[in-house]
Amino acid sequence: QSVLTQPPSVSGAPGQRVTISCTGSSSNIGAGYDVHWYQQLPGTGPKLLIYGNNNRPSGVPDRISGSKSGTSASLAITGLQAEDEADYYCQSYDSSLSGSYVFGTGTKVTVL
Amino acid sequence: QVQLVQSGAEVRKPGASVKVSCRASGYTFTSYYMHWVRQAPGQGLEWMGIINLSGGGTNYAQKIQGRVTMTRDTSTSTVYMELSSLRSEDTAVYYCTREGVGSYGLDVWGQGTTVTVSS
């Protein structure tokens, strides 16, 4: 059972903005540990999308952004495109689990 | 280019063991950590553990502690993950993925290895 909770699904029309929340606790996000985000397209492996809460690796468009506040983090996708239809996972570190890395429950983004 | 290439699909019976390899290329092997992450069919990502490629130290997820062993061979830039006492619930795609020093996330992933546990 994951300690980082995400909504199972979000959807939006092309061009719209969607946000995905990642809710943790005082032993992970709230303790100051960074949050990273991954995109998993259908049938493929995960790809790093955001690192260190709000940094984009080379090649990730600036319409994708991340933020963190308190015990939660968020991923925002503006100008939604068909190619954004995928599963998205947040990831952090948890000090209460003998030093474990943890993933969020995952969110399916559907482009209407 | 930076690449992680994993071994091929495996089929095992319950109670058996499996060893998956992950060969790194295109970067300084010992300057990074390697994680193993698995994904059961239709499920999310599950962190399994981490190995320090310089010193060999490991940390495993509590759920599989005692059944998993991660090792590395610096001469061939290869990391191994062995899982024993396999159960049907261990059926999943297993990924190796790299982490650098500092908060840069898991930036390079292997192609995944499917492990099927079935009698």
Side-chain angles (χ1 to χ4, degrees):
Chain A
Q1 187 172 355
S2 177
V3 298
L4 301 180
T5 302
Q6 300 178 229
S9 63
V10 300
S11 62
Q16 285 190 329
R17 178 180 188 267
V18 297
T19 62
I20 301 169
S21 60
C22 174
T23 303
S25 67
S26 59
S27 63
N28 42 68
I29 298 175
Y33 296 112
D34 284 343
V35 178
H36 315 293
W37 290 89
Y38 303 87
Q39 177 193 57
Q40 187 174 30
L41 296 170
T44 70
K47 168 193 169 185
L48 180 65
L49 207 58
I50 293 285
Y51 68 90
N53 305 314
N54 55 14
N55 301 287
R56 285 182 303 275
S58 173
V60 175
D62 60 6
R63 60 188 183 82
I64 293 174
S65 62
S67 63
K68 173 188 155 183
S69 178
T71 58
S72 295
S74 290
L75 179 76
I77 306 174
T78 59
L80 197 62
Q81 300 179 5
E83 66 198 47
D84 298 325
E85 189 158 292
D87 293 322
Y88 294 80
Y89 296 90
C90 59
Q91 178 251 311
S92 187
Y93 180 89
D94 193 293
S95 59
S96 71
L97 300 172
S98 301
S100 282
Y101 289 67
V102 288
F103 284 95
T105 49
T107 298
K108 170 70 176 179
V109 169
T110 301
V111 181
L112 301 172
Chain B
Q1 75 280 25
V2 177
Q3 226 177 345
L4 300 176
V5 178
Q6 299 182 220
S7 49
E10 303 273 11
V11 179
R12 294 287 187 273
K13 294 188 182 302
S17 297
V18 68
K19 192 170 186 177
V20 180
S21 68
C22 169
R23 180 171 52 84
S25 62
Y27 70 96
T28 303
F29 181 71
T30 52
S31 295
Y32 288 79
Y33 300 92
M34 197 73 79
H35 298 250
W36 287 89
V37 174
R38 68 180 180 179
Q39 186 170 36
Q43 303 300 308
L45 302 174
E46 179 186 11
W47 182 79
M48 298 179 67
I50 181 176
I51 179 169
N52 181 331
L53 299 181
S54 177
T58 56
N59 186 29
Y60 304 132
Q62 287 183 352
K63 179 180 176 181
I64 55 174
Q65 185 94 35
R67 293 201 297 133
V68 64
T69 304
M70 296 177 188
T71 57
R72 93 278 190 232
D73 182 344
T74 57
S75 68
T76 60
S77 298
T78 302
V79 181
Y80 299 92
M81 186 284 299
E82 184 169 22
L83 190 61
S84 62
S85 302
L86 288 169
R87 312 156 182 167
S88 58
E89 310 89 88
D90 295 316
T91 294
V93 177
Y94 289 74
Y95 295 99
C96 59
T97 175
R98 181 186 85 162
E99 180 187 23
V101 176
S103 187
Y104 296 101
L106 305 173
D107 67 340
V108 180
W109 293 68
Q111 83 274 20
T113 296
T114 299
V115 174
T116 303
V117 182
S118 174
S119 55

